[in-house]
């Protein structure tokens, strides 16, 4: 489990051959491309697209239909809901952990998860939590 300040995709890439699952919190303004669309022959040629449209955590119009939704009634949080969109990947750039990476940057797919609760036990501001 990683907080939003850590590079969850980099850790997932480094540990991809080990039997572990990486879960990291995302910033609520994170933008992730959708999975690569199926390849279609283009007589003009050119490189096939690497990404499809964007999935913007802060913009519900970009989410599309989620693959999984689950809701649970809890004593402290009221109705808690988890929504998941599979095959979302961050767009990597050659900085920080990827600055010395040789070759084209990988596409590391994961699941974007949005957690919401009806209320907080402390009575504080109820922000949504995003995980990848």
């Amino acid at each position: 489990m990683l907080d939003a300040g850590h590079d969850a995709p980099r850790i997932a890439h480094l540990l991809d051959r080990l039997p572990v699952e990486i879960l990291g919190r995302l910033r609520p303004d994170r933008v992730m491309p959708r999975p690569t669309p199926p390849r279609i022959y283009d007589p003009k040629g050119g490189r096939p697209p690497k990404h499809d449209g964007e999935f913007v955590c802060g913009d519900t119009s970009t989410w599309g239909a989620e693959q999984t939704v689950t809701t649970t009634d809890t004593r402290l949080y009221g109705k808690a809901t988890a929504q998941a969109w599979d095959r979302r990947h961050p767009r990597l750039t050659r900085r920080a952990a990827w600055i010395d990476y040789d070759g084209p940057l990988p596409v590391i797919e994961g699941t974007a998860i949005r957690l919401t609760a009806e209320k907080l036990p402390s009575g504080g501001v109820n922000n949504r939590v995003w995980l990848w």
Side-chain angles (χ1 to χ4, degrees):
M1 178 69 186
L2 305 168
D3 202 0
H6 293 85
D7 192 352
R10 179 67 174 173
I11 300 293
H13 178 71
L14 293 173
L15 302 177
D16 71 340
R17 303 214 185 265
L18 296 177
V20 296
E21 297 287 332
I22 303 299
L23 183 65
R25 188 167 61 97
L26 295 175
R27 291 172 35 141
D29 61 351
R30 188 70 189 251
V31 176
M32 293 180 282
R34 296 180 185 283
T36 305
R39 189 170 180 168
I40 298 172
Y41 172 73
D42 186 353
K44 294 183 279 183
R47 187 178 69 129
K50 197 172 186 179
H51 311 286
D52 200 0
E54 292 185 333
F55 178 91
V56 181
C57 292
D59 182 1
T60 59
S61 68
T62 65
W63 295 354
E66 59 273 280
Q67 277 73 35
T68 304
V69 179
T70 183
T71 302
T72 303
D73 289 318
T74 68
R75 181 178 57 83
L76 293 176
Y77 297 95
K79 186 168 90 172
T81 304
Q83 298 168 276
W85 294 265
D86 198 21
R87 298 189 62 210
R88 301 299 183 252
H89 60 276
R91 191 180 309 256
L92 304 178
T93 58
R94 290 203 185 272
R95 61 178 185 193
W98 299 98
I99 199 164
D100 294 326
Y101 187 82
D102 291 330
L105 293 173
V107 172
I108 305 168
E109 291 185 338
T111 302
I113 303 168
R114 181 178 184 247
L115 305 175
T116 58
E118 196 171 50
K119 62 181 180 174
L120 295 180
S122 66
V125 177
N126 188 5
N127 293 325
R128 278 66 174 146
V129 175
W130 283 94
L131 304 171
W132 180 85

